[in-house]
Every structure is written in C-alpha cells, then in structure tokens.
Amino acid sequence: MIGNCSHLVEVQRSLAAGQWPHAVAAELLAHVEGCNRCTQEILIVQHLRTEKASAIAAATPAMPALVWWRAQLRRRNAALAQAGRPIAAAQLFALAIVAAAAIGIVATHWHAMLHGLAQVPVSSLLSALGSWGLAPLVLAGTLVAALSGLALYLSADRQ
Amino acid sequence: MNWEDAIPAIAFAQAAPTAEPAMDSDQFAAFYERTSRPLWAYLARTSGDPSLADDLMQESYVRFLGAGFQGDGEVASRSYLFRIGTNLLRDHWRRQRTVSLEEMPAERSAARDLAGQTDSRLTLSPALAKLRPRDRQLLWLAHAENYSHREIAEITGLAAPSIRLLLFRARRQMVQLLTKEGAGR
C-alpha cells in the first residue's frame, strides 16, 4: 500500500523544522506511535539527515576560483574549436570542387585521351596534355586559393 | 557577410557549450559555497565513492557554468545542478559497467570501495550501502534534500508518475534494513 497518512505532512514539517520530537503536540506523538507510515518517515528522515550531516562535515570542496577558471578554460577551448569549423568546411568545399573539376576533365576528354594514348608517342602526349589539360587545372587551383583566402578572411572577421 | 549566412547548418550549430555564464565569478563563488557540500554529500552517499564525488562535483559546476543556465532563482539553479550531477553519475556507471543503474546490485557499486579504497570520508551506513544506487538516489533526494516528486523526476529523468511507487519500495526496503540493523546491535 502506497497511501499516505493524513498526519504525514505535519510530521514532515516538524522534522524539517527540527522540532521532532520535543516541540510537537502530544496528539501527534500519540498518532505516530500507532502509525506505520509516519514511523517509517521518521526513521528514514532521521537516518538520512545524520548521513547528510556527516557527509557535509567530511566534504572538502575545491576553491570556487579553481572551478570558475576550469569552466572559463573549457569555454575558450570550445570557442576555438567552433571558430575552426568554418575553415574546415571551406577546405572540404574546395576539395570537393577540385575533385569535381578533375572528374569533369577526365569525363569530357576521355575519348580523346584514349585515342591519343593509342596513337601518339609518350613525348608528344605530354605536350598535348599541356595544350588542353592544364588550363582547367590552373582554373581549379585559382578557385581553391581564392576560396581558402575568403574563408580565412571571414573567420578572422568573425573573431 | 558571415559564414552562418553562407553555410548556416555548419556555422554556430553548437553554440550551447560556449554560452555566456549566467552569473559572474562572485555570484558563482557564493552559489558554490551554498551548494557544493550538499551536492558532494549527495554524490558521495549515492555512489559510495568520495573520490568519484570530488571529480563529479567539479565537473557538475563546470558544465553548469558552460550551459549558461538562466533558471528562475537559486532553487531552480540548485535543482539543475543536481540534475547535472545525477546525469554524470549515471554516465559514469554506464561507462564502467554494461548493466543499467536500475539493475545494478548494491554490493557491486560499493564493492570498489570496500575492496580497494581507504578513503576516510567513506562512512556509508550498512543500511544505505545495501540499497541499490537508484534507491539511494531517490531516498536522498526526497528525504535529505526535501525535493518533491516532480523535482525528483526532473533531476533523475524518471517518469513523474513512477516516482511515488519507486520511493515507496525504496522506503520499505530501507525500513527493513534499518530495523534489522537496529535489532543486530
């Protein structure tokens, strides 16, 4: 049975106020003697209060300034990690563009490359690559450099 | 132009850990003085491990400050602090063992102390030591800290309607243990 006793609140109040058992009405004392629920409450509360008092006496908390400093340090580290996130995102974005450009070049010149490899000697293949292949790569590299610079500028601006 | 305009999902997605503290250092020092010992008592008596309570208490305050909790007064702040401590304790037990806090036998949580530690601050009463950690938590919050069932539910993360039944069972077991302890003397 979980049900409460009608006098329980009164008993709890007197326990919380430190009035039990000396400063409570005789009727309440008489009630508690015959009430299982109130007896349990008193037994447990008194036991836990004793435990709490001994634990509080044994506690040796660190200086609040030390805890404050630790919290500030962690906050600063979190802010730094947060500031680094846009740069990492920009780098990832630039890498994706380079990869897309490389895939695009291979896809558009696939047949020409196969044809050239089959018919042209290695020495002239390099010159052919120079004639049509370097321009998109240079373009992609310039784009990456520009985006990285922009990312750095915006991150610094944010700070 | 800022990065959060260009890439809103990435930039500042995790602003919470760097939130401004809700109190200055002096206010914190006063709050710490009022709450650190009761929090330590709760953590030490629930875990049965004073060294662990030292660590978890500090971590609780660091997280409390990091969260920038804007509670409604000291009572709410204190309740929030106990919630952080309770979560840290639960995480610790989860990392240490694969069983849940509810299933963990009382002897297991106190075994470490009995076997290896000689911390003079460890003076768990036999009755309290024999209770399961969850029962110790509930009884402590209800009877040593005077939290209501609703507040206990918020602190422990348990469903509010179940607190009454869980407390009833814990109380019944503790009374049996205390009675046995008293009879054995």
Side-chain angles (χ1 to χ4, degrees):
Chain A
M1 193 181 86
I2 310 176
N4 279 336
C5 166
S6 58
H7 290 83
L8 189 61
V9 175
E10 207 177 338
V11 170
Q12 286 170 335
R13 207 174 289 149
S14 67
L15 281 165
Q19 295 168 341
W20 185 270
H22 306 295
V24 294
E27 297 85 51
L28 190 61
L29 281 171
H31 162 77
V32 168
E33 277 185 27
C35 176
N36 198 32
R37 179 67 187 85
C38 289
T39 309
Q40 283 185 5
E41 183 78 11
I42 291 162
L43 188 65
I44 290 171
V45 169
Q46 286 184 333
H47 182 76
L48 289 176
R49 294 266 165 87
T50 308
E51 283 283 312
K52 186 180 178 183
S54 70
I56 281 178
T60 51
M63 296 293 289
L66 178 71
V67 179
W68 177 264
W69 176 79
R70 273 189 64 188
Q72 295 303 310
L73 190 67
R74 188 173 296 180
R75 195 167 150 259
R76 196 180 310 159
N77 288 341
L80 285 173
Q82 194 170 286
R85 256 178 240 131
I87 297 173
Q91 285 172 340
L92 197 68
F93 182 60
L95 197 68
I97 287 177
V98 170
I103 290 167
I105 290 165
V106 170
T108 52
H109 295 81
W110 180 248
H111 290 295
M113 282 170 75
L114 278 181
H115 185 70
L117 280 172
Q119 293 190 351
V120 181
V122 177
S123 57
S124 56
L125 183 68
L126 289 171
S127 62
L129 188 68
S131 65
W132 54 258
L134 283 182
L137 284 174
V138 168
L139 189 66
T142 310
L143 192 64
V144 169
L147 279 171
S148 301
L150 184 67
L152 282 170
Y153 168 76
L154 289 171
S155 299
D157 186 45
R158 178 81 201 172
Q159 288 300 297
Chain B
M1 178 188 169
N2 288 317
W3 270 110
E4 58 265 41
D5 303 327
I7 318 173
I10 297 170
F12 304 95
Q14 295 181 3
T18 59
E20 284 290 332
M23 48 180 80
D24 63 28
S25 62
D26 290 338
Q27 287 173 324
F28 172 72
F31 176 70
Y32 184 85
E33 287 299 328
R34 288 191 297 270
T35 55
S36 60
R37 286 172 188 275
L39 179 64
W40 187 88
Y42 165 64
L43 293 170
R45 287 302 186 261
T46 303
S47 69
D49 185 343
S51 301
L52 177 66
D54 287 338
D55 294 342
L56 296 187
M57 189 183 78
Q58 279 207 34
E59 183 62 22
S60 299
Y61 281 104
V62 169
R63 292 197 184 191
F64 174 82
L65 286 169
F69 179 68
Q70 306 276 353
D72 189 17
E74 170 122 355
V75 174
S77 297
R78 186 184 160 104
S79 174
Y80 186 62
L81 186 67
F82 271 73
R83 193 160 111 199
I84 295 172
T86 302
N87 288 341
L88 287 172
L89 198 55
R90 190 175 52 216
D91 291 347
H92 170 79
W93 273 320
R94 278 182 183 160
R95 275 198 307 273
Q96 294 281 309
R97 304 159 179 102
T98 51
V99 296
S100 74
L101 187 57
E102 290 79 3
E103 294 161 351
M104 193 193 304
E107 291 79 10
R108 204 170 159 190
S109 65
R112 182 180 152 206
D113 313 302
L114 299 172
Q117 288 202 346
T118 53
D119 196 321
S120 59
R121 294 175 297 168
L122 177 66
T123 51
L124 268 187
S125 71
L128 211 52
K130 282 176 189 159
L131 285 174
R132 290 186 306 175
R134 170 67 79 216
D135 293 340
R136 286 205 292 263
Q137 269 184 340
L138 293 172
L139 289 170
W140 193 275
L141 292 170
H143 298 293
E145 291 296 330
N146 287 323
Y147 279 120
S148 67
H149 290 184
R150 186 184 54 79
E151 288 169 322
I152 293 171
E154 282 173 10
I155 290 169
T156 59
L158 294 168
S162 66
I163 297 293
R164 191 179 166 83
L165 179 63
L166 291 170
L167 259 176
F168 168 74
R169 287 177 183 159
R171 207 161 32 222
R172 190 175 57 184
Q173 197 185 353
M174 187 160 191
V175 166
Q176 285 171 357
L177 290 166
L178 285 173
T179 309
K180 207 185 289 179
E181 195 181 306
R185 277 181 189 157

